[in-house]
Amino acid sequence: MKTGRRINVDIALVIGALALTLFGLAIVFSAGHTDFRTPATGAWKAQLVWTLVGIAGAFGVSRASVRLIEWLTVPVYVFTIILLVALLVGFGSGAGTATSTSGWLTIAGHRLGQPAELAKLTVVLMLARVLGQNRVAPKSMIDLWKPMVVAGLPLLLIMAQGDLGTSIVFIGIFFAMLFWAGVPWQLLLLLASPVISLILGFDPRIWGAWFMLLIALVLWYKPFIGEGLFVVAANVITGIVGPLLWEHMPRYRQNRLLVFLDPSVDPRGSGYHVIQSMTAIGSGGWLGRGYLNGPQKRLAFLPEQYTDFIFAVVGEELGFVGVMIALALFLFLFLRVIRISERANDSFSSLVAFGLLASWFTHVLENVGMTMNLMPITGIPLPFFSYGGSFMLACWLAVGVLARISSEGRGGMSGPLRV
Amino acid sequence: MSFHPNDIVRRGRAATVICCGVLVFLLSAFFRAQVLKNQEYALQSEENRLRQIPTAAPRGRILDRNNKPIAENVVGYSVALLPQNEDTLRTTLTRLRTVVQLTNKQFEDAVGRFRRDRNRPTVIIQDASFDVVSVLEEHHQDFPSLIIQSAPKRIYPDGQAVGGFIGYISEISQGELAELTKEGYKAGQLVGKAGLEKQYEKELRGREGIKFVEVDARNRIVPNGRAREDVTPAEGPTLYTNIDLDLQEFMHTLFADTIEAGAVAMVPQTGEVLAMYSSPAIDPNRFVGGVSAAYYDSLRNDPRLPLYNKVLQSKQPPGSTFKLATSVMALQDSLITFDTRMPQPCNGYYYFGNRTWHCWRKEGHGSVNLFGAIAQSCDVYFYQLGQKLTLSRIIAGGVGLNFDKRSGIDLPEETRPDFPATGAEYFNKKYGARGWTPGSMELNLAIGQGENSQTILNMAKFYSALATDGTERVPMIKRGAPKVAGKLTLASDQLALLRKAMAGVVQAGGTAAAAAIQGISVAGKTGTAQTMRMSKNGKPLYWAWFAGMAPADNPKVVVVVMFPDVEFEGATAAGFATKIIERYLKVKVDANSIERTG
């Protein structure tokens, strides 16, 4: 550190990420601890290797200036799009709870990684670049066409793979970054309104009430007449088309959504995951069944216990106290990243930091919420916990980028722990 | 992009609030599940991982009057599986077949058991041999959902000797299950299917134990899993019976399996059943847990009908053994005394209604009183006695003597005897109002022929009343207080005289003189009822009866023997009966004398 350019390490950020990683590794180890062999047995070794690779990668990234990253953004983004297209033309295969999807880049039978993980990073960078160029915050939809294209293109490609979950992450990143870029909340709401209509369209009365509110919002915010009409039309279409779309949805996806509403609809099929997950968590009590000893995990009642449902292992074995500690660590990390965004030197850095936060936040909310049936079941992993090489690498590369932004940021971001 | 520091701080604050809010919301959901609803989920988790393996309780033992075992339990093995669903059951069974032999029936039975109760382990082999068990133990690793348990196995040490009343146990059927679920019976359990085992099922069954095992999501049993403490099974209470195994075994040796016969021995004063035998005998051991098709077919195709219990189910005209009943009716109504002679002496036949009614003895018996008529079984005497009684009094008398009812023995298989209890109504229905005459019915019924078919047991009950003060006792196999079935309204001296008359049967000049035994005075009555069928040799076939008691002056045992469809007559049957009497009285006396000297 003394030689070359001096970097101030954001100790709070690194310690927060390290604490979560160690916690996660311990749980992956426990997840492999079952009475009969499961794929999770011994998975912790690979996870440890990937963690070390990730930390090394983070260190490497933190040596690179933000300007270099900014300069690399466009080529990396293009490369990501190429990979995502490659998945659709025969290089993809599925895994985990999402075996029906094709998220894995596979060449000659070897799984090389999940381009979607890379896309989460590059979309954040690209959005930051596009939004950072604006002198004034966008006030109308037409001003937002660039970010829409940047986020929308990979989103559509990933949805085409059949991966509904990951596309939720992109929506989270997109809205969070628009928010951070100063887009008014009214505009964000108008932007989101067709999706809301789609969901509320199942009940005509609720949708009617929502539609009235929307009209009021349009009259109050006074967007361009064309945009206002467009939003209203879009809402009418989704609110009415929604139920029709449902009819044409594949059965398994319908089931997932139905089971989200009531897991007992199908306890042996689609509801099985959630019921077992909630049983594991609920039986944990205050202090849990003891590390390595959770029966739901040990006896393989809990599915995907080392990937998508790893948080249920925390709940079962370490109880409410363990859950509280894990969520507190996440909160600590999140608040730290908000701070980094606030203090970043330039708009690109600030937006990147906030976009990475948005990505993690969406993952945590969706994954943890899913284990408690607060969110639909999607194959979204839990940062720093879920077993998976590319994801762990992506998380630590993000830490590296954040560390760099932090060190370049204004005023006392390095040194003593401050949140 | 608006990056005025104030805007940034405002948005940062909003982001902080959203992050904190969402995580607190998540945390509250965990609090609700883990703290508030912990019990509910903990129970669900336990239900997931624990399986209750029922451990069969040993049935109560069944002992004879000297507390020797008639039925007891030995150690056996049962093999079961904990399948997840029918598909996994079928695949596991198919894999099991590579290790041990499983018949198609065992295969399909197992699937049927699984369908009946998915929560209990599916029994594959009810009674596995030690060889099968050791092979399976060797391969236990390959079959993690396999359960090998020691299970009590029912055996009947005397086998065929007790086949006539003990019954057997086997797996509960679907119909029985529907009936017995309320009493706590479950699919796959063994229940009494016949005989004593069925009669006293609820007393003999023990209380099933529970073994807890830990299973994983695919129902694989975790070796040394962290399960709950087991509940040990409780053995059922012992059933004490009146059976004398020594006498029972003697009957088994007495009646060769080539002959059809039934025999029962009772203590007349109490109704205790000492022995009961139906020949050819069945081996109850071979019925336990399901009879093999080969054995069952061999029994079913046997022309001597071993599956048909000769003592309980077989009914046939009692023949001359019924003459005592005719005598009792006449004496009860004071129509005759022991010295009464009939108007027409016996010269071998009796002419009535345009028909000649033969006496069994062509030369005739001459003029006899009641003593002589009983001792020599004179048909002509009883034809006239029947006419004297009239049909209605014969019917009423028979009903009064319970010839239309079961004896009431504590066995489920007993059939009801045939007796025209409704009299004229019955005959009208059967033959039409003009198709019969009371006269011929009087004659036939008086000598124990015609519309009257009795079980051996019912005749034994009647003769027990003759052997005592006239009280009819319900035959009982289980030890306990005697039960009264009825009473003959005769004075004790009249009963003594009847016994004296019957003693004449087994003395010189009587029909069963040849059956007399040294040192014991036997009283009894032969019966030879005509089947109206011919044997292969062209000889007439009879139902050959003997109902007797001894000692004649103070009877301690009543024995009734019957051979269906035989060429010989009641006198031969008497020979078998007196041997049973001799065995019982002599061994008993001998045993007493040894006790006294020792």
Side-chain angles (χ1 to χ4, degrees):
Chain A
M1 303 273 166
K2 296 282 176 197
T3 56
R5 248 194 74 177
R6 194 167 148 269
I7 300 168
N8 296 314
V9 177
D10 187 335
I11 293 176
L13 172 77
V14 173
I15 285 183
L18 259 182
L20 281 167
T21 305
L22 291 176
F23 198 159
L25 271 174
I27 301 299
V28 169
F29 177 77
S30 171
H33 210 83
T34 49
D35 282 311
F36 292 95
R37 246 188 114 76
T38 66
T41 312
W44 66 276
K45 289 178 204 151
Q47 183 77 341
L48 182 61
V49 170
W50 278 105
T51 304
L52 295 175
V53 171
I55 290 173
F59 181 73
V61 169
S62 72
R63 306 287 294 187
S65 130
V66 177
R67 294 284 77 76
L68 177 66
I69 295 171
E70 190 173 9
W71 181 76
L72 278 172
T73 296
V74 175
V76 171
Y77 180 78
V78 171
F79 178 64
T80 306
I81 298 296
I82 292 170
L83 285 184
L84 289 176
V85 172
L87 290 181
L88 292 177
V89 294
F91 293 100
S93 63
T97 40
T99 38
S100 60
T101 66
S102 52
W104 281 80
L105 181 66
T106 310
I107 293 174
H110 295 283
R111 286 181 170 182
L112 300 179
Q114 290 172 286
E117 298 306 332
L118 183 63
K120 287 171 194 165
L121 270 180
T122 51
V123 165
V124 167
L125 295 176
M126 196 66 194
L127 275 177
R129 203 183 137 98
V130 168
L131 289 170
Q133 286 167 345
N134 294 325
R135 292 271 156 243
V136 184
K139 291 272 187 300
S140 68
M141 286 185 194
I142 202 78
D143 295 339
L144 291 173
W145 73 270
K146 272 193 194 169
M148 278 195 206
V149 169
V150 167
L153 190 58
L155 175 85
L156 289 175
L157 288 172
I158 286 167
M159 276 175 87
Q161 294 164 21
D163 188 351
L164 195 70
T166 307
S167 42
I168 291 176
V169 177
F170 285 93
I171 293 169
I173 291 171
F174 178 71
F175 276 94
M177 288 182 77
L178 288 189
F179 162 76
W180 194 247
V183 175
W185 65 269
Q186 296 94 330
L187 185 57
L188 291 180
L189 192 58
L190 289 181
L191 216 52
S193 63
V195 179
I196 297 173
S197 270
L198 185 69
I199 295 165
L200 298 182
F202 291 101
D203 188 328
R205 275 170 301 178
I206 294 178
W207 181 79
W210 156 250
F211 192 71
M212 288 301 164
L213 277 175
L214 183 77
I215 299 290
L217 184 67
V218 169
L219 292 177
W220 176 46
Y221 184 66
K222 293 192 179 73
F224 293 133
I225 289 178
E227 281 181 15
L229 288 176
F230 174 74
V231 165
V232 171
N235 273 279
V236 169
I237 290 168
T238 53
I240 290 159
V241 167
L244 293 173
L245 206 67
W246 169 258
E247 310 270 313
H248 291 92
M249 214 181 247
R251 190 83 208 156
Y252 77 98
R253 205 170 294 164
Q254 274 187 355
N255 276 347
R256 279 187 180 189
L257 283 172
L258 276 181
V259 165
F260 166 57
L261 298 174
D262 180 9
S264 61
V265 167
D266 185 11
R268 278 279 146 201
S270 309
Y272 182 80
H273 287 50
V274 169
I275 288 175
Q276 296 302 343
S277 165
M278 291 189 73
T279 303
I281 292 167
S283 66
W286 276 104
L287 296 172
R289 311 288 292 250
Y291 182 57
L292 302 181
N293 286 333
Q296 287 280 107
K297 173 218 72 182
R298 192 160 56 75
L299 300 164
F301 288 101
L302 185 65
E304 306 296 331
Q305 85 280 24
Y306 67 129
T307 54
D308 295 343
F309 282 93
I310 195 163
F311 203 70
V313 178
V314 177
E316 182 178 35
E317 300 195 340
L318 304 176
F320 183 64
V321 170
V323 167
M324 216 155 39
I325 291 170
L327 292 182
L329 284 174
F330 274 117
L331 185 62
F332 175 82
L333 187 72
F334 293 164
L335 296 187
R336 187 69 196 169
V337 178
I338 291 173
R339 194 67 155 224
I340 291 171
S341 316
E342 283 174 351
R343 309 243 169 150
N345 240 350
D346 55 287
S347 54
F348 175 76
S349 308
S350 180
L351 280 164
V352 167
F354 199 79
L356 293 175
L357 165 74
S359 171
W360 281 344
F361 179 79
T362 318
H363 277 88
V364 171
L365 173 60
E366 162 58 28
N367 181 283
V368 173
M370 162 181 94
T371 63
M372 288 295 291
N373 198 37
L374 300 169
M375 291 283 166
I377 300 177
T378 53
I380 292 197
L382 184 63
F384 304 105
F385 279 75
S386 289
Y387 171 79
S390 10
F391 188 55
M392 186 54 109
L393 180 63
C395 285
W396 271 96
L397 289 182
V399 172
V401 170
L402 288 170
R404 180 74 199 189
I405 292 169
S406 176
S407 80
E408 287 184 10
R410 285 163 294 156
M413 285 300 287
S414 57
L417 287 172
R418 271 181 45 204
V419 177
Chain B
M1 166 139 200
S2 158
F3 269 99
H4 188 278
N6 284 351
D7 288 343
I8 290 285
V9 168
R10 195 168 47 78
R11 277 180 235 143
R13 211 175 286 145
T16 305
V17 168
I18 290 171
C19 277
C20 290
V22 165
L23 290 193
V24 166
F25 165 69
L26 284 178
L27 205 58
S28 69
F30 279 90
F31 184 80
R32 181 164 174 271
Q34 297 192 282
V35 178
L36 303 181
K37 295 176 89 178
N38 171 248
Q39 299 253 305
E40 203 176 298
Y41 286 117
L43 190 71
Q44 177 67 48
S45 171
E46 293 294 275
E47 267 177 33
N48 272 349
R49 73 181 184 99
L50 290 180
R51 290 286 175 285
Q52 302 187 358
I53 312 291
T55 43
R59 272 174 96 75
R61 298 189 305 149
I62 300 176
L63 303 181
D64 89 333
R65 61 194 298 117
N66 299 312
N67 294 341
K68 285 198 279 182
I70 303 174
E72 54 185 349
N73 308 300
V74 293
V75 176
Y77 295 94
S78 81
V79 177
L81 280 172
L82 265 186
Q84 265 183 301
N85 52 49
E86 206 176 306
D87 290 341
T88 57
L89 175 65
R90 283 181 186 277
T91 43
T92 313
L93 284 175
T94 311
R95 282 203 301 130
L96 261 180
R97 276 185 158 175
T98 61
V99 181
V100 293
Q101 263 206 318
L102 281 181
T103 62
N104 283 337
K105 186 172 185 305
Q106 279 174 313
F107 194 105
E108 290 307 323
D109 280 354
V111 175
R113 285 187 195 112
F114 174 72
R115 283 186 192 147
R116 245 169 281 149
D117 195 340
R118 279 147 206 269
N119 296 321
R120 277 170 79 92
T122 303
V123 173
I124 311 298
I125 309 173
Q126 194 86 255
D127 174 31
S129 71
F130 189 74
D131 292 344
V132 167
V133 168
S134 39
V135 169
L136 286 176
E137 284 289 2
E138 237 170 79
H139 292 81
H140 214 151
Q141 287 239 305
D142 307 332
F143 300 99
S145 62
L146 192 71
I147 304 163
I148 300 172
Q149 269 186 304
S150 75
K153 185 189 172 190
R154 196 66 156 169
I155 59 155
Y156 309 105
D158 287 284
Q160 288 189 317
V162 297
F165 62 87
I166 192 71
Y168 64 97
I169 61 168
S170 193
E171 189 177 339
I172 192 164
S173 72
Q174 227 161 340
E176 289 166 328
L177 193 59
E179 216 172 283
L180 292 171
T181 307
K182 271 188 230 130
E183 326 243 356
Y185 283 87
K186 301 199 180 75
Q189 286 182 334
L190 299 173
V191 293
K193 293 283 185 176
L196 277 187
E197 295 275 28
K198 183 177 182 184
Q199 182 78 22
Y200 294 108
E201 164 59 32
K202 281 163 201 169
E203 293 176 35
L204 287 166
R205 76 190 282 232
R207 202 192 40 181
E208 202 174 64
I210 306 168
K211 188 172 171 240
F212 290 95
V213 295
E214 198 180 42
V215 296
D216 80 342
R218 287 159 64 187
N219 268 358
R220 293 179 291 193
I221 296 161
V222 180
N224 311 315
R226 290 158 240 196
R228 229 179 283 171
E229 209 179 313
D230 299 342
V231 179
T232 46
E235 181 172 348
T238 305
L239 180 72
Y240 297 93
T241 68
N242 295 317
I243 296 290
D244 184 329
L245 262 186
D246 174 75
L247 191 64
Q248 191 70 45
E249 284 163 21
F250 177 74
M251 282 188 184
H252 180 46
T253 52
L254 187 64
F255 297 99
D257 259 356
T258 50
I259 200 165
E260 265 190 275
V264 65
M266 276 173 65
V267 176
Q269 290 79 8
T270 58
E272 293 166 57
V273 176
L274 293 165
M276 203 178 117
Y277 190 79
S278 172
S279 180
I282 55 168
D283 184 354
N285 288 312
R286 300 186 65 170
F287 279 82
V288 171
V291 61
S292 77
Y295 183 58
Y296 193 76
D297 285 344
S298 78
L299 294 176
R300 206 177 42 184
N301 299 330
D302 189 326
R304 291 156 304 163
L305 307 174
L307 290 172
Y308 196 54
N309 193 304
K310 305 294 183 299
V311 182
L312 297 170
Q313 296 172 314
S314 183
K315 301 179 279 197
Q316 44 282 311
S320 303
T321 57
F322 196 77
K323 285 173 182 163
L324 267 295
T326 313
S327 306
V328 168
M329 294 173 205
L331 288 169
Q332 279 181 338
D333 291 353
S334 305
L335 291 176
I336 54 166
T337 66
F338 283 87
D339 289 325
T340 306
R341 289 164 196 271
M342 288 298 133
Q344 189 183 316
C346 174
N347 40 28
Y349 60 90
Y350 183 66
Y351 191 76
F352 171 76
N354 298 327
R355 216 196 106 180
T356 307
W357 298 71
H358 291 283
C359 184
W360 68 272
R361 193 163 187 249
K362 285 188 190 106
E363 308 84 71
H365 294 101
S367 177
V368 287
N369 62 6
L370 187 56
F371 285 112
I374 290 174
Q376 297 171 45
S377 198
C378 179
D379 289 334
V380 170
Y381 184 96
F382 281 97
Y383 290 146
Q384 295 173 77
L385 187 55
Q387 287 179 316
K388 205 169 178 135
L389 270 165
T390 71
L391 181 62
S392 60
R393 263 200 286 215
I394 294 176
I395 300 293
V399 171
L401 297 174
N402 292 329
F403 282 109
D404 61 332
K405 299 178 193 75
R406 293 184 185 88
S407 75
I409 190 172
D410 47 347
L411 285 176
E413 286 88 5
E414 188 186 15
T415 53
R416 191 194 180 91
D418 294 332
F419 191 80
T422 54
E425 195 184 311
Y426 170 89
F427 295 113
N428 282 339
K429 202 172 166 191
K430 184 161 181 189
Y431 300 105
R434 289 163 173 274
W436 65 284
T437 58
S440 57
M441 292 302 166
E442 284 161 5
L443 266 59
N444 260 329
L445 286 174
I447 62 160
Q449 301 268 23
E451 317 285 324
N452 177 13
S453 293
Q454 297 294 325
T455 61
I456 294 175
L457 203 63
N458 223 30
M459 292 310 289
K461 186 185 68 174
F462 172 65
Y463 272 79
S464 291
L466 295 178
T468 59
D469 60 352
T471 310
E472 268 192 353
R473 304 285 181 184
V474 176
M476 294 293 292
I477 293 187
K478 186 189 175 184
R479 254 183 258 174
K483 284 190 221 162
V484 176
K487 181 134 172 54
L488 313 185
T489 49
L490 289 183
S492 56
D493 60 316
Q494 284 179 303
L495 286 161
L497 288 171
L498 277 177
R499 288 195 288 271
K500 194 181 162 200
M502 287 192 284
V505 172
V506 202
Q507 282 164 6
T511 53
I517 41 174
Q518 194 87 48
I520 301 169
S521 59
V522 178
K525 183 73 195 78
T526 55
T528 309
Q530 293 161 354
T531 65
M532 303 299 176
R533 280 175 277 128
M534 293 290 171
S535 74
K536 283 177 206 147
N537 312 330
K539 292 183 182 167
L541 289 173
Y542 302 110
W543 290 297
W545 287 83
F546 184 79
M549 58 195 73
D553 48 347
N554 181 22
K556 291 189 163 51
V557 61
V558 166
V559 172
V560 179
V561 174
M562 189 278 305
F563 297 85
D565 301 340
V566 286
E567 292 177 2
F568 56 76
E569 305 190 3
T572 312
F576 283 85
T578 52
K579 280 203 179 64
I580 294 167
I581 289 169
E582 182 182 25
R583 173 74 177 196
Y584 177 69
L585 290 179
K586 282 209 170 147
V587 168
K588 208 179 158 195
V589 169
D590 285 353
N592 286 347
S593 62
I594 290 162
E595 249 171 72
R596 260 179 242 127
T597 51

